[in-house]
Amino acid sequence: MDIEIKEEKILQIMGEIEEIGKRNYEEAGFSSCLGEMDINNEQYALLQDNGNLFFFSIRNGGKLVGYAFYFFARSYMGINYLAENGAFYLVPEERKGFTANKLLASLEKLLAEKGVQYLMHRTRTAQDLSHFFERAGFELTEKIYSKILTLGV
């Protein structure tokens, strides 16, 4: 079966997304630092309805096996439209051969058709995929530091 990428409304398939989203959340190590996954469905839907979020399902034989979503904005430094990944996830059992490479190339084409001229992908240090993105032509352009803030500490 061939893997298919399709733009979809995030709320319409949230049940399916939550199922593999939990795997993504655990794999990325978020549960150890952020606790239980809590998706703000309404916020994602609002961003998508306003044209600030592109959500793509990745399906094999109709079954959701991955997803990618990108936050979309006009650059404040010029006329370029940019997109930054919120997630690019494929279940481990589908990660064989060059599947992820082909998916990324397809996503780049879909985003370019939507007017995106500058694409950014983040990768976690605990799950470093910089080699994957560098092979796809991406350049290291910034480092991001993060910290969990808690009240009263």
Side-chain angles (χ1 to χ4, degrees):
M1 291 181 204
D2 288 316
I3 290 185
E4 174 188 37
I5 299 175
K6 179 181 175 187
E7 187 172 9
E8 296 197 56
K9 288 285 191 183
I10 198 165
L11 282 184
Q12 292 176 351
I13 63 167
M14 189 50 77
E16 292 177 276
I17 296 168
E18 287 177 351
E19 185 178 316
I20 67 169
K22 289 178 183 173
R23 292 176 73 179
N24 181 8
Y25 195 78
E26 290 295 323
E27 212 176 295
F30 289 130
S31 59
S32 63
C33 60
L34 299 176
E36 191 175 321
M37 184 174 77
D38 183 19
I39 299 173
N40 186 334
N41 298 343
E42 293 76 23
Q43 186 63 39
Y44 281 113
L46 180 64
L47 286 166
Q48 191 172 31
D49 289 344
N50 288 334
N52 298 112
L53 177 82
F54 298 134
F55 178 82
F56 300 96
S57 63
I58 302 170
R59 296 181 179 276
N60 190 342
K63 180 182 178 189
L64 189 71
V65 296
Y67 52 82
F69 64 87
Y70 296 86
F71 298 103
F72 177 73
R74 185 170 184 163
S75 173
Y76 57 88
M77 296 180 286
I79 61 169
N80 297 333
Y81 289 96
L82 58 93
E84 181 175 353
N85 80 306
F88 175 43
Y89 183 72
L90 186 63
V91 294
E93 51 273 22
E94 295 290 338
R95 298 176 199 163
K96 47 191 167 237
F98 291 97
T99 303
N101 301 69
K102 291 174 186 173
L103 289 171
L104 182 59
S106 295
L107 287 165
E108 287 178 20
K109 184 176 185 285
L110 289 167
L111 289 165
E113 289 170 357
K114 292 185 164 299
V116 172
Q117 297 164 310
Y118 186 77
L119 181 58
M120 297 179 289
H121 267 274
R122 293 182 186 201
T123 180
R124 294 181 49 80
T125 54
Q127 192 180 27
D128 188 12
L129 298 174
S130 56
H131 62 282
F132 169 75
F133 290 109
E134 288 169 3
R135 280 196 315 258
F138 287 80
E139 297 177 9
L140 179 63
T141 56
E142 64 181 77
K143 290 185 179 184
I144 297 174
Y145 293 89
S146 59
K147 180 179 182 178
I148 296 171
L149 303 178
T150 57
L151 295 174
V153 176

